[in-house]
Amino acid sequence: MSESIIQMKEVNKWFGNFQVLKDINLEVKEKQKIVVCGPSGSGKSTLIRCINRLEEHQKGQIIVDGNELSEKTKDIEKIRAEVGMVFQQFNLFPHLSILDNCTLAPIWVKKTPKKKAEEFAMKQLEQVQIADQAAKFPGQLSGGQQQRAALARALCMEPKIMLFDEPTSALDPEMIKEVLDAMVNLAKAGMTMIVVTHEMGFAKEVADEVVFMDEGMIVERAKTKDFFANPKNERTKLFLSQIL
Amino acid sequence: MNLRIKSIIPQLLTLLFVVAVIGFFTINAQLNMEERGIDFGYGFLNQESSFDVQFSLIEYDGSHSYAKAYLVGLLNTILVSVLGIIFCTIIGVIVGIARLSPNYLIRNTAAWYVEFFRNVPLLLQIFFWYYAALRALPLPENTEPLFGVTYLTVKGYYIPRLIWENFDILIYSILAAIISIIFIRNYARKLQEEKGQQLPVLLISVGLLLIFPGITFITGMVQLDVSLPVLKQLSKTSFIYAEGISVPPELIALVLALSLYTATFVAECVRAGIQGISKGQKEAAASVGLTPNQILKLVIMPQALRIIIPPTTNQYLNLTKNSSLAAAIAYPDLVLVFAGTALMQTGRAIEIVSITMLTYLTLSLSISILMNWYNKKIAIKEK
Amino acid sequence: MININILKPTSSNFQTYLYIGSALIFIGIFDVFLRSFFNINYLTFLPDSLNLFFPLIIGLVGLQMIRLEYSGNRIVDKINQNINNNSFNAGLTLIIIFLTLLVIPPALDWMILEATISGDTKEACVATEGACWTYIKVWFRRFMYGMYPNDFHWRINTAFIVLIAFAFVGYFMRGKLKNYITFYYAILYPIIAFIIINFLISGGSFGLEWVETNAWGGLSLTFIVSFFGLIFCFPLGMILALGRRSELPIIKYISIGYIEFWRGVPLITVLFMSSVMFPMFLPSDAFVDKLIRVIAAIILFEAAYVAEVIRGGLQALPRGQYDAAKSLGMGYWKMQIFVILPQALKLVIPGIANTFLALVKDTPLIFVVGLSEVVGMLQMAKTNPKWLGYAMEGYIFASILFWAICYAMSKYSQYLELKYKTER
Amino acid sequence: MLRTLKALVYLLTSIALLVSFETSAFAKKSKTLKKTQKMGFVRCGVSQGLPGFSNADASGNWTGVDVDLCRAVAAATLGDSGKVKFFPLSAKERFTALTSGEIDVLSRNTTWTLSRDADIGLTFVGVNFYDGQGFMVRKSSGITSVNQFKAGVSACTNLGTTTELNMRDFFNSKGIKYEPVTFEKADEVVAAYDAGRCDTYTTDKSGLAAQRIKLSKPDDHIVLPETISKEPLGPVVRQGDAVWEDIVRWSLNVMIEAEEYGITSANADSMKSSDNPAVKRLVGAEGELGAAFGLDNDWSLRIIKQVGNYGESYKRNIADTGILPDRGPNQLWTKGGILYVPPAR
């Protein structure tokens, strides 16, 4: 339990001449739920995208489940299979049905028999309450349904860690709730989660800790209660006053 | 009632107009033909054609009928179209991908190629290849071999001919390989569904396709001889290469021009198809642990092909229609053989031109019907 | 493996690597340069294959040595990002550079240095290896004006200048006149154009000598054919597109039949039909000039393509536009003219421009029915016994000519597309 | 709506009128002649350039024996040999252009064959040049006879001509496999032969002779002595207008007969006072020869005066240009040739 499942040490990243991440240090323990917030452009998304190496950091160390991520890392796919991700724009595969979206990776990556994969996928779909939509195609579903399908797709790989990149910001208000509910259920089941979001209600309800980022740096990291009750940094206070 | 009249009258008028125009033309044609003693009919198709064709895929000489000459022309048209389609696809895909390359030089070379070849009339390009480029080639006796055994000369491209013995056994072996591949595919699917094991189906398929015919060779049931082109003297100064296959320069020029021209359009289709897939798709696929090859095969290609195939088929159709320009450089295609020589020898302009047009029309309509059906089938379903 | 690690720079030793790498790349390029420009090869002592690939190998090593992300040197960063991101790309980069170096000298030699433009006969070109631009010079008037009598070329020039001038009239229409701009371009301008071409180029009255259409040719004929093609195929295409979208079945199916027919047959057969067979379908004492028949055929043919493009635009318009227009009590024609077509046409500008481009590129086809525009004149000049053997020059000349016209057109359409995109 | 209806009715009636006019128009006078006189010029199909037969110079003036026939018809029907509109046609287009009504006379070194005459709505009116098919080869090849051709020989020729058919018969009879390369335009054939695409160029011997002098070095090429076919070349008209057919036929015959009787463009006027009634008839001083065609009596005189007799035409176009100085079979029957025409009386 003491061993951190994610360790980031002095992580730096540039886009051209622009530095997006500055000396990031972050440790996440198993079953911890962390919410990352901050103004747009502060590097939140880049931070979590570095964790499954959708973005490559240029300096520093990132260790996920005991594997260091670097150019030399072979089988990056194996690490990615352990780390599920939900995107802002859902990114479901439009040419596959919801069920096929869910079974694609289990079949091809984990070599699960198709029948087993389908059974398992149906379970996950039931969890997020869209089992009745399994045969439909992404384009036929509403935003909220699509996002839940995307969540189910990630869960089908039985990941150890789940990353959420603003999962609700592309949704209409009435759909936000259904996605958040699914995420709350997941949290209660004991998943390690890092969530980039502006939904402070969600943060208060599930997060163990909240990380506030600005200009590529971690400005403040605190237990949820402390974070909302008495933020220490001026910028955090300003941010909270604007968002709440 | 009022509404019905409102919708019937314009229709009636249009119909009348069309009937009147068609009627006007047919009546005139009938009168003119009657007066000039021309009869109308397709009986000539059975007559002996009595002209030879430079190049034919099936056995044909002047003692066959005009109908057979038509077939010769049609097959030559199909040959040049198929070759053109193959080459324009290869070039087009490479150039289309190159246009998205991160390499500045490659990207711009590809862009330059597209801008140039697309903006020069096809007829001019055909003429260029035939009259300027291929005409500048050396005579057979002065030609240096290309790839050791082939000769590119002003009279054509001479390549070795393959002589098969028991060719039918080879075909059977390939058929057997295909059948066993189908079985293995089914088995592989079942294996996956039940046990999760995955067989390298593609590798096995290729292997079988090589092994089955290979066995027939090893056991000596099928034999292959290669007859190389040999320089043959016809007179003091004129030579040809005999024994091999001679690809006429007309065909080379036509295929070159058609594929280089059409490839620019295919390249644009490919580029649009690849660009049409959002970065998010790739990231999502990567985030669930698919390898780059799997991402390409399972996520990118199926989507890109849906965008690429319909406009590309259109370009293939255009290529086929454009192959009729063959008539300008003496390649014996449908237009040259049938709407050219045959029309000339029989004088039956209306019959022959109508058959020619109908042939192209059937070709393109059937392909576009097929495409519409295919598009509907693969269309990404939405609300 | 070790080898590659040695070649890999780190930020500490980068300066040294940069110097060595650049030197190697320079040597590679210089070697190719010497070989192609001066035909000097210093490396003959190497085995043949190594000799051939030496520049490529040395260049690859050099590029490998300077490949470091965020080196701090701006130029090197640019190079690394754009043409040197990995070994594969580096190889392609070198191949392209070397090929360019290899192609330029002979091309330059042929086209400029060794070329001839003096003299008026083939003899002027016999001495050189290079291009014979004399050929183009001698035949230039033919390429531009066809067999049109030399003394009357001013008539063609004047006609085109006047036509262009009239084309710009719409540009200056302001205020109330602006309402008539469509009418001007759709109806008045074609009539004016026809009158000008009929009286000035064709002649036969006002003391101008009659010049048969047989004699017309060259680039001016290309312009005339494309000009009338463009003007007339557009309205016809528009009517067909509306017809195909019509709710009245007969009109709809007639339009579909028309469009699919013309799109299914090659232009060359259509031209052949119009040029030699069409009189058969006319009363025996009617006579229509061949050029007019050919232009008509091109119009009928291209209109089908224009119709399909416009139909795409009509389909892309949201239903709401139709509903809104109907709710305002507009009839079918009012709705189409004032609401639907203006929007749909804006949408399809690039498509229509492409069709027009195709039309211009199709004009050389009239050569197969005996009308000689530029390409036709080229064929004639090339087979002229006095000038046999200069086909290449002619085709290069015509290619550049057509490329310039079509490229300008496509750039203009891209500009229009951009302009209307922002306006929406 | 009413207006469109009116327009349509108008259109339909006009079409109906046109059609009925069409059917009732079987007048006695030649329709083609009437139309020609209305238009003011003869529409004559010629080749796209064959020296000696029909060839245009840089300023568009046509010359040649085929062209002279067109001029003769114009002189006869319109009174002025200059009133001809020439339609340069490829071999492929020529018959369709004639039957469709694009042209009224086809005078384009066309071989008279049974199937052409009988089958496709054409009528041959006579022969203005007796020819035969031959082969041209490069002198350096050492070939001096058609018997030296070997299998694999490639032969260039014109598309859709009798040449193409004769060539097949010839090579088949010799049992030689050959490669036919056919182009639409004669110039392309010559260029292909010149570039070495083909080993031999085959067409009518007159055509070979004409094309040979067009080549850059005529002396590098020879026409082989053998003649492999009969090629009677002559003018063609559409079927269905017998009077027009007669006009063209007799325009040709008059030129040949004029030579027989020694009437030339120079002496035609003075021949009016000749003692020979045949001569007098030819120059319109006696008889009413033109009436049968609906022409005046001077029609033949105009032909001779403006165009000249056959001999003059031949000399001017073929002999003096060095194509075929020897008239061979195209000599009058009285001088050992086979030119023999029915008497004009």
Side-chain angles (χ1 to χ4, degrees), chain B residues 369-383:
Chain B
I369 287 172
L370 206 71
M371 271 330 288
N372 279 342
W373 169 81
Y374 176 77
N375 277 344
K376 259 188 202 140
K377 211 187 121 198
I378 65 157
I380 286 173
K381 291 189 182 67
E382 276 170 43
K383 251 184 275 191

Side-chain angles (χ1 to χ4, degrees), chain C residues 148-159:
Chain C
Y148 204 88
N150 279 356
D151 297 343
F152 302 144
H153 287 172
W154 64 269
R155 278 161 57 178
I156 295 183
N157 295 340
T158 323

Side-chain angles (χ1 to χ4, degrees), chain D residues 112-134:
Chain D
W112 186 350
T113 67
L114 185 147
S115 61
R116 284 176 176 175
D117 203 357
D119 203 23
I120 46 182
L122 307 173
T123 296
F124 283 79
V125 297
V127 176
N128 67 344
F129 197 91
Y130 290 95
D131 210 339
Q133 186 173 340

Side-chain angles (χ1 to χ4, degrees), chain C residues 48-92:
Chain C
D48 271 0
S49 53
L50 195 62
N51 185 358
L52 188 65
F53 289 111
F54 175 78
L56 189 63
I57 295 166
I58 204 168
L60 269 177
V61 172
L63 282 174
Q64 176 81 33
M65 289 182 76
I66 64 166
R67 192 178 308 132
L68 176 74
E69 244 180 318
Y70 312 106
S71 59
N73 185 332
R74 252 182 155 182
I75 299 170
V76 177
D77 273 357
K78 265 243 156 86
I79 289 177
N80 280 337
Q81 263 170 33
N82 287 322
I83 59 174
N84 188 23
N85 16 10
N86 53 42
S87 306
F88 176 70
N89 263 332
L92 289 179

Side-chain angles (χ1 to χ4, degrees), chain A residues 37-62:
Chain A
C37 61
S40 55
S42 59
K44 310 174 301 250
S45 290
T46 315
L47 175 75
I48 67 165
R49 285 157 66 88
C50 278
I51 294 172
N52 66 350
R53 213 169 161 70
L54 288 178
E55 303 281 359
E56 292 166 19
H57 61 286
Q58 282 127 11
K59 239 172 108 181
Q61 246 187 339
I62 300 179

Side-chain angles (χ1 to χ4, degrees), chain A residues 15-242:
Chain A
F15 284 136
N17 292 328
F18 176 68
Q19 189 167 13
V20 265
L21 296 181
K22 296 174 189 161
D23 295 333
I24 299 286
N25 285 300
L26 184 70
E27 289 195 9
V28 181
K29 297 204 171 75
E30 229 171 308
K31 299 204 174 166
Q32 239 186 345
K33 286 121 192 101
I34 291 184
V35 166
V36 182
C37 61
S40 55
S42 59
K44 310 174 301 250
S45 290
T46 315
L47 175 75
I48 67 165
R49 285 157 66 88
C50 278
I51 294 172
N52 66 350
R53 213 169 161 70
L54 288 178
E55 303 281 359
E56 292 166 19
H57 61 286
Q58 282 127 11
K59 239 172 108 181
Q61 246 187 339
I62 300 179
I63 298 168
V64 177
D65 201 16
N67 301 302
E68 184 179 347
L69 305 184
S70 72
E71 277 175 42
K72 285 171 198 143
T73 315
K74 284 179 187 150
D75 300 335
I76 180 70
E77 288 81 22
K78 271 191 187 151
I79 299 169
R80 283 178 178 159
E82 313 247 291
V83 183
M85 186 159 187
V86 175
F87 299 83
Q88 182 179 0
Q89 297 293 346
F90 330 138
N91 291 346
L92 289 168
F93 308 128
H95 61 296
L96 298 175
S97 72
I98 298 298
L99 187 62
D100 288 340
N101 260 284
C102 292
T103 55
L104 184 75
I107 289 175
W108 288 95
V109 180
K110 291 173 84 179
K111 317 280 182 208
T112 319
K114 195 176 173 195
K115 282 178 186 164
K116 254 192 194 167
E118 281 179 357
E119 279 167 23
F120 189 71
M122 285 310 291
K123 263 187 215 159
Q124 300 305 321
L125 288 172
E126 269 163 35
Q127 283 276 313
V128 296
Q129 299 176 341
I130 46 167
D132 50 333
Q133 312 284 351
K136 288 195 181 164
F137 284 81
Q140 296 167 312
L141 301 187
S142 74
Q145 288 170 322
Q146 285 194 51
Q147 192 60 298
R148 283 183 282 155
L151 179 56
R153 176 177 69 181
L155 292 177
C156 281
M157 289 299 289
E158 298 177 87
K160 291 184 178 164
I161 307 164
M162 280 294 296
L163 307 174
F164 292 85
D165 187 3
E166 308 205 21
T168 55
S169 55
L171 295 175
D172 292 339
E174 77 268 22
M175 293 173 183
I176 291 177
K177 189 171 178 306
E178 54 189 59
V179 173
L180 288 180
D181 285 349
M183 287 166 65
V184 170
N185 286 340
L186 183 65
K188 283 178 182 159
M191 177 66 72
T192 315
M193 289 164 76
I194 301 181
V195 185
V196 173
T197 186
H198 295 293
E199 297 293 331
M200 290 305 138
F202 172 79
K204 283 175 185 167
E205 189 179 345
V206 281
D208 300 320
E209 284 180 22
V210 179
V211 171
F212 176 72
M213 282 185 75
D214 195 11
E215 291 178 0
M217 288 180 291
I218 295 183
V219 176
E220 189 164 349
R221 178 179 180 179
K223 296 266 183 245
T224 312
K225 264 184 199 162
D226 301 340
F227 184 82
F228 287 105
N230 51 17
K232 293 189 183 81
N233 195 297
E234 282 306 312
R235 275 185 283 180
T236 322
K237 281 179 197 164
L238 185 69
F239 178 73
L240 284 174
S241 71
Q242 282 168 344

Side-chain angles (χ1 to χ4, degrees), chain B residues 27-48:
Chain B
I27 288 173
N28 276 323
Q30 252 170 7
L31 282 171
N32 285 337
M33 286 167 76
E34 206 170 287
E35 187 188 315
R36 292 159 201 175
I38 309 167
D39 49 348
F40 181 86
Y42 292 95
F44 72 94
L45 282 173
N46 293 324
Q47 290 168 9
E48 187 188 293

